[in-house]
Amino acid sequence: MQAQPRAQPRVVSYPGALLPPLQALTLVEYPPGHTGGAHAHDGYQLVAFLRGTFSFEGPGGTLRVRPGEIGIVPVGKAHRWLADRTQGARTFQLGIAPLSFALHGELAAVFGGRAFEWLTVPLGVDTVSRLAADARATCERPGAAAAALLLARALELLALTVRAIAGGRAPLAYAHGHRVVNNALRYLEDHAGEVVTLAALAAHVGLGTSRFSEQFRRLTGTSPMRYALRLR
């Protein structure tokens, strides 16, 4: 008897070009037990679950994600995945390029290129379902400014994720460290193409070099001078 073909995921995606920093946006329904081979991404992968469970496996352990949760796979993290063996999984997925503080503010505190292990973030089934339904409607019936609407849904998901990670603490946008970093970023952009020293940058924001470097790295995931080199 000839073997039955393996069931494939059902995918809904936007047929046009997405706006940066959005690299990918898909709604995927995986059949029970569906698995994928080891791979990694050059951006962040966010997988929000509407139904079923999912396991990400890679060096350092396993990440199990349930309905109403988002699984975040950081940049360059090698992983494979396995959908629930009994009911599969229904997901809303984003691929996001690393963000900059200059353009995306406090969202870059989590998605700005920082090195961290994967994690799950609870948002609730209702929230995930609403965002997924909006994205699906736009993908299936794209009209004027459809890519902008999808970017808006993606940024809302990122913002809610950062809020959930912050756990109700004061928004980073009002923290002293964030104001310091924003001032430094504006200075670097105003002097793009020039040689800016660490001492001059720290003096501009009113801090010593060590304290300034520590705050900058904590919020951006990189050093001030490495960030400055990217702007040249």
PDB file of all heavy atoms in Angstrom, residues 158-174:
ATOM      1  N   LEU A 158       4.585  43.844  19.363  1.00  0.00           N
ATOM      2  CA  LEU A 158       5.875  44.076  20.018  1.00  0.00           C
ATOM      3  C   LEU A 158       5.706  44.908  21.282  1.00  0.00           C
ATOM      4  O   LEU A 158       6.312  44.623  22.323  1.00  0.00           O
ATOM      5  CB  LEU A 158       6.833  44.779  19.058  1.00  0.00           C
ATOM      6  CG  LEU A 158       7.303  44.005  17.832  1.00  0.00           C
ATOM      7  CD1 LEU A 158       8.232  44.867  16.999  1.00  0.00           C
ATOM      8  CD2 LEU A 158       7.980  42.710  18.226  1.00  0.00           C
ATOM      9  N   ALA A 159       4.883  45.959  21.201  1.00  0.00           N
ATOM     10  CA  ALA A 159       4.685  46.832  22.359  1.00  0.00           C
ATOM     11  C   ALA A 159       4.038  46.081  23.514  1.00  0.00           C
ATOM     12  O   ALA A 159       4.443  46.224  24.682  1.00  0.00           O
ATOM     13  CB  ALA A 159       3.825  48.032  21.961  1.00  0.00           C
ATOM     14  N   LEU A 160       3.020  45.268  23.226  1.00  0.00           N
ATOM     15  CA  LEU A 160       2.367  44.489  24.279  1.00  0.00           C
ATOM     16  C   LEU A 160       3.332  43.463  24.876  1.00  0.00           C
ATOM     17  O   LEU A 160       3.296  43.189  26.079  1.00  0.00           O
ATOM     18  CB  LEU A 160       1.134  43.792  23.713  1.00  0.00           C
ATOM     19  CG  LEU A 160      -0.021  44.712  23.313  1.00  0.00           C
ATOM     20  CD1 LEU A 160      -1.115  43.924  22.606  1.00  0.00           C
ATOM     21  CD2 LEU A 160      -0.588  45.440  24.525  1.00  0.00           C
ATOM     22  N   THR A 161       4.198  42.916  24.037  1.00  0.00           N
ATOM     23  CA  THR A 161       5.190  41.964  24.528  1.00  0.00           C
ATOM     24  C   THR A 161       6.176  42.641  25.471  1.00  0.00           C
ATOM     25  O   THR A 161       6.499  42.113  26.543  1.00  0.00           O
ATOM     26  CB  THR A 161       5.944  41.329  23.341  1.00  0.00           C
ATOM     27  OG1 THR A 161       5.007  40.645  22.509  1.00  0.00           O
ATOM     28  CG2 THR A 161       6.998  40.353  23.821  1.00  0.00           C
ATOM     29  N   VAL A 162       6.659  43.830  25.090  1.00  0.00           N
ATOM     30  CA  VAL A 162       7.594  44.559  25.957  1.00  0.00           C
ATOM     31  C   VAL A 162       6.915  44.926  27.273  1.00  0.00           C
ATOM     32  O   VAL A 162       7.514  44.832  28.353  1.00  0.00           O
ATOM     33  CB  VAL A 162       8.125  45.816  25.235  1.00  0.00           C
ATOM     34  CG1 VAL A 162       8.879  46.716  26.196  1.00  0.00           C
ATOM     35  CG2 VAL A 162       9.025  45.411  24.075  1.00  0.00           C
ATOM     36  N   ARG A 163       5.653  45.334  27.225  1.00  0.00           N
ATOM     37  CA  ARG A 163       4.922  45.641  28.455  1.00  0.00           C
ATOM     38  C   ARG A 163       4.819  44.417  29.361  1.00  0.00           C
ATOM     39  O   ARG A 163       4.981  44.516  30.579  1.00  0.00           O
ATOM     40  CB  ARG A 163       3.521  46.147  28.124  1.00  0.00           C
ATOM     41  CG  ARG A 163       3.453  47.599  27.716  1.00  0.00           C
ATOM     42  CD  ARG A 163       2.017  48.072  27.705  1.00  0.00           C
ATOM     43  NE  ARG A 163       1.925  49.508  27.514  1.00  0.00           N
ATOM     44  CZ  ARG A 163       0.816  50.211  27.717  1.00  0.00           C
ATOM     45  NH1 ARG A 163      -0.287  49.589  28.091  1.00  0.00           N
ATOM     46  NH2 ARG A 163       0.817  51.503  27.530  1.00  0.00           N
ATOM     47  N   ALA A 164       4.520  43.272  28.765  1.00  0.00           N
ATOM     48  CA  ALA A 164       4.393  42.056  29.558  1.00  0.00           C
ATOM     49  C   ALA A 164       5.723  41.665  30.188  1.00  0.00           C
ATOM     50  O   ALA A 164       5.777  41.238  31.342  1.00  0.00           O
ATOM     51  CB  ALA A 164       3.864  40.916  28.680  1.00  0.00           C
ATOM     52  N   ILE A 165       6.803  41.837  29.438  1.00  0.00           N
ATOM     53  CA  ILE A 165       8.132  41.530  29.983  1.00  0.00           C
ATOM     54  C   ILE A 165       8.479  42.478  31.123  1.00  0.00           C
ATOM     55  O   ILE A 165       9.058  42.085  32.142  1.00  0.00           O
ATOM     56  CB  ILE A 165       9.194  41.605  28.870  1.00  0.00           C
ATOM     57  CG1 ILE A 165       8.995  40.459  27.869  1.00  0.00           C
ATOM     58  CG2 ILE A 165      10.603  41.547  29.447  1.00  0.00           C
ATOM     59  CD1 ILE A 165       9.870  40.537  26.643  1.00  0.00           C
ATOM     60  N   ALA A 166       8.092  43.763  30.967  1.00  0.00           N
ATOM     61  CA  ALA A 166       8.374  44.754  32.016  1.00  0.00           C
ATOM     62  C   ALA A 166       7.601  44.460  33.290  1.00  0.00           C
ATOM     63  O   ALA A 166       7.965  44.942  34.370  1.00  0.00           O
ATOM     64  CB  ALA A 166       8.041  46.153  31.508  1.00  0.00           C
ATOM     65  N   GLY A 167       6.513  43.704  33.195  1.00  0.00           N
ATOM     66  CA  GLY A 167       5.783  43.288  34.384  1.00  0.00           C
ATOM     67  C   GLY A 167       5.140  44.419  35.157  1.00  0.00           C
ATOM     68  O   GLY A 167       5.058  44.371  36.386  1.00  0.00           O
ATOM     69  N   GLY A 168       4.667  45.459  34.452  1.00  0.00           N
ATOM     70  CA  GLY A 168       3.980  46.551  35.137  1.00  0.00           C
ATOM     71  C   GLY A 168       4.887  47.630  35.671  1.00  0.00           C
ATOM     72  O   GLY A 168       4.414  48.597  36.260  1.00  0.00           O
ATOM     73  N   ARG A 169       6.195  47.478  35.484  1.00  0.00           N
ATOM     74  CA  ARG A 169       7.101  48.529  35.949  1.00  0.00           C
ATOM     75  C   ARG A 169       6.961  49.765  35.066  1.00  0.00           C
ATOM     76  O   ARG A 169       6.402  49.713  33.978  1.00  0.00           O
ATOM     77  CB  ARG A 169       8.548  48.018  35.931  1.00  0.00           C
ATOM     78  CG  ARG A 169       8.792  46.883  36.927  1.00  0.00           C
ATOM     79  CD  ARG A 169      10.271  46.585  37.041  1.00  0.00           C
ATOM     80  NE  ARG A 169      10.809  46.071  35.794  1.00  0.00           N
ATOM     81  CZ  ARG A 169      10.815  44.783  35.478  1.00  0.00           C
ATOM     82  NH1 ARG A 169      10.278  43.899  36.289  1.00  0.00           N
ATOM     83  NH2 ARG A 169      11.335  44.377  34.339  1.00  0.00           N
ATOM     84  N   ALA A 170       7.505  50.891  35.542  1.00  0.00           N
ATOM     85  CA  ALA A 170       7.415  52.137  34.782  1.00  0.00           C
ATOM     86  C   ALA A 170       8.017  51.958  33.397  1.00  0.00           C
ATOM     87  O   ALA A 170       9.043  51.294  33.235  1.00  0.00           O
ATOM     88  CB  ALA A 170       8.154  53.255  35.523  1.00  0.00           C
ATOM     89  N   PRO A 171       7.388  52.512  32.356  1.00  0.00           N
ATOM     90  CA  PRO A 171       7.916  52.369  30.997  1.00  0.00           C
ATOM     91  C   PRO A 171       9.339  52.870  30.892  1.00  0.00           C
ATOM     92  O   PRO A 171       9.712  53.877  31.489  1.00  0.00           O
ATOM     93  CB  PRO A 171       6.971  53.245  30.164  1.00  0.00           C
ATOM     94  CG  PRO A 171       5.722  53.328  30.966  1.00  0.00           C
ATOM     95  CD  PRO A 171       6.156  53.283  32.406  1.00  0.00           C
ATOM     96  N   LEU A 172      10.125  52.162  30.110  1.00  0.00           N
ATOM     97  CA  LEU A 172      11.524  52.554  29.941  1.00  0.00           C
ATOM     98  C   LEU A 172      11.648  53.954  29.358  1.00  0.00           C
ATOM     99  O   LEU A 172      12.640  54.643  29.567  1.00  0.00           O
ATOM    100  CB  LEU A 172      12.227  51.554  29.021  1.00  0.00           C
ATOM    101  CG  LEU A 172      12.482  50.159  29.594  1.00  0.00           C
ATOM    102  CD1 LEU A 172      13.036  49.258  28.514  1.00  0.00           C
ATOM    103  CD2 LEU A 172      13.423  50.218  30.767  1.00  0.00           C
ATOM    104  N   ALA A 173      10.630  54.405  28.629  1.00  0.00           N
ATOM    105  CA  ALA A 173      10.709  55.716  27.987  1.00  0.00           C
ATOM    106  C   ALA A 173      10.875  56.840  29.004  1.00  0.00           C
ATOM    107  O   ALA A 173      11.381  57.908  28.670  1.00  0.00           O
ATOM    108  CB  ALA A 173       9.461  55.964  27.149  1.00  0.00           C
ATOM    109  N   TYR A 174      10.458  56.618  30.242  1.00  0.00           N
ATOM    110  CA  TYR A 174      10.546  57.665  31.248  1.00  0.00           C
ATOM    111  C   TYR A 174      11.695  57.440  32.231  1.00  0.00           C
ATOM    112  O   TYR A 174      11.847  58.183  33.178  1.00  0.00           O
ATOM    113  CB  TYR A 174       9.218  57.761  32.010  1.00  0.00           C
ATOM    114  CG  TYR A 174       8.066  58.069  31.091  1.00  0.00           C
ATOM    115  CD1 TYR A 174       7.185  57.084  30.708  1.00  0.00           C
ATOM    116  CD2 TYR A 174       7.900  59.345  30.557  1.00  0.00           C
ATOM    117  CE1 TYR A 174       6.139  57.358  29.830  1.00  0.00           C
ATOM    118  CE2 TYR A 174       6.864  59.627  29.678  1.00  0.00           C
ATOM    119  CZ  TYR A 174       5.984  58.629  29.320  1.00  0.00           C
ATOM    120  OH  TYR A 174       4.962  58.881  28.447  1.00  0.00           O
TER     121      TYR A 174
END
